[in-house]
Amino acid sequence: MGMGLGAGNFGAGEGSTLPTEGGILHNGYIYHIFEADGELEVVADVDVDVMLVGGGGGNGGTYTNWGTGGGGAGAVIEDNVSLTPGTYDVNIGLGGESLNNGGNTTAFGLTAIGGGRGGKRTGTAPNDGGSGGGAPGWYNTAPAQLVFPGGAPEAGQGHKGGDGDVSATASHQGSQGGGGYGSQGIDRLTARAAGLSDHSGTNGGLGKLLSDIFNGLESGESIGLAFNGVAGGGGGAAGSASTTIGLGGGVAANPYGAGDGGHGTLSPTPTIDGTGSGAGGAATTMDTIEGRSCGKGGDGIVIVRYAV
C-alpha cells in the first residue's frame, strides 16, 4: 500500500465507498505514494492518474580528473488509467550504482525505463536508457581517444545525454551531463558556443516538476515528499584545469534531486531517492556523503491518485 510519508493519512474506513484503502487526501484527490515495492488494493472500479519513474543512472566512475555525468531516469505518465477491483503490484527501480544503469519501475502494465549510466574516458561509452548517460570528456593528445555521443533515450520517456566533441582545444576536456525527462544533457559544442571553456562540465537535462505533472498539486511537500521534481540529468565533472562543474537538472536551485558534477578531489553531490534522477560525474574522488554513494542515481517512485 502506498505510504503517507509525513502527510496525514486518509483512511477509507469500514463501510466507505472509496475505491481504495488509505492514502493521502490533498486538494480533492487521494494520493498513494510508493518509494519501495508494494501493492495497491482496489475494491471498486476507479480511474486514476499514474506517474512511474525509473531509477536514475549511475555515473561513469573516477579516472584521474575525468569522469562523466549519469543519465536521469525516464518517466511514464498516463492519465485516466482504469483499474478494476484487485491487488496491483508496484515494483520500484533502484538507482544505478556507479557504472550501472538504473532499474526499471513497473506497475499497471506500464514500465518506466531506468536511466543510462555515464561513460568513462577509458574507452567506455555512455549507456542508453529512459534518458541517456552523458559522454565522457576527451583528451586531445596521443594516443588518440574515442569521442562518444550521449546515450540515447527510450522513445517518449526522456532525452539523450550530452555529446562529446573531438574539436576541443583543451587537453583535458570536462565531461557531459546526462539527459533528463524534460530536456537533453548539454553537448560540448553547445557549452562552447555559450562561452564555457572546454575544461568545464556541462549541465544535466531538466527533469519535470510534480506540479506540472499533477494539476492541483502545489509541490511535493504538499503530499509529504522531500522534493518537488523528478528525473533530472546528472551534471558532468569538470576537467583538470577547471572548477566549473555541470549542474544536476541544469539549474543551481535543483528541484529534481540530481547530482551535480565534481572536480578534482571534490566529490559530486548525492542524488535524492524517489526522484529517479541521475548521478553527477566524478573526477578523482567519489566519496560517500551522509551514508550515500555519490556515484549512485536516485531510486524511482510511483504516484497514483484519483479524485474524490
Side-chain angles (χ1 to χ4, degrees):
M1 181 68 68
M3 295 181 292
L5 300 177
N9 285 347
F10 184 84
E14 185 176 353
S16 170
T17 59
L18 291 176
T20 66
E21 295 282 341
I24 303 164
L25 177 63
H26 174 72
N27 204 15
Y29 291 89
I30 290 179
Y31 290 81
H32 291 272
I33 301 170
F34 296 85
E35 291 188 273
D37 293 352
E39 296 177 337
L40 180 69
E41 295 184 12
V42 176
V43 298
D45 291 348
V46 61
D47 291 335
V48 298
D49 300 327
V50 178
M51 181 193 76
L52 291 79
V53 182
N59 68 13
T62 60
Y63 181 80
T64 313
N65 288 308
W66 310 274
T68 190
V76 174
I77 300 167
E78 291 284 342
D79 292 333
N80 299 317
V81 175
S82 295
L83 301 179
T84 57
T87 300
Y88 294 84
D89 291 331
V90 176
N91 296 294
I92 302 300
L94 300 181
E97 299 288 346
S98 181
L99 292 172
N100 287 275
N101 279 21
N104 296 345
T105 292
T106 60
F108 317 114
L110 305 171
T111 300
I113 305 296
R117 61 117 173 99
K120 191 172 184 176
R121 194 184 78 82
T122 52
T124 305
N127 277 359
D128 301 339
S131 287
W138 183 69
Y139 183 66
N140 73 350
T141 57
Q145 301 292 315
L146 296 172
V147 177
F148 296 108
E154 182 75 10
Q157 294 203 21
H159 290 82
K160 64 181 286 295
D163 296 339
D165 175 56
V166 73
S167 65
T169 58
S171 58
H172 301 151
Q173 187 186 104
S175 60
Q176 282 55 248
Y181 181 58
S183 65
Q184 73 172 57
I186 302 302
D187 298 333
R188 177 56 49 189
L189 285 173
T190 301
R192 189 182 304 149
L196 292 178
S197 82
D198 286 330
H199 297 288
S200 65
T202 78
N203 289 350
L206 298 173
K208 195 166 186 178
L209 295 175
L210 293 173
S211 58
D212 290 333
I213 295 171
F214 297 108
N215 61 358
L217 179 63
E218 298 88 353
S219 66
E221 286 92 342
S222 300
I223 52 174
L225 295 171
F227 48 86
N228 292 318
V230 294
S240 59
S242 176
T243 60
T244 302
I245 60 174
L247 298 176
V251 288
N254 174 5
Y256 317 112
D260 294 335
H263 66 81
T265 58
L266 178 70
S267 290
T269 59
T271 58
I272 296 177
D273 281 337
T275 64
S277 291
T284 303
T285 304
M286 189 168 61
D287 291 324
T288 297
I289 298 177
E290 296 179 349
R292 180 171 181 81
S293 168
C294 295
K296 177 183 178 297
D299 295 346
I301 192 171
V302 169
I303 298 178
V304 183
R305 78 168 189 179
Y306 60 93
V308 293

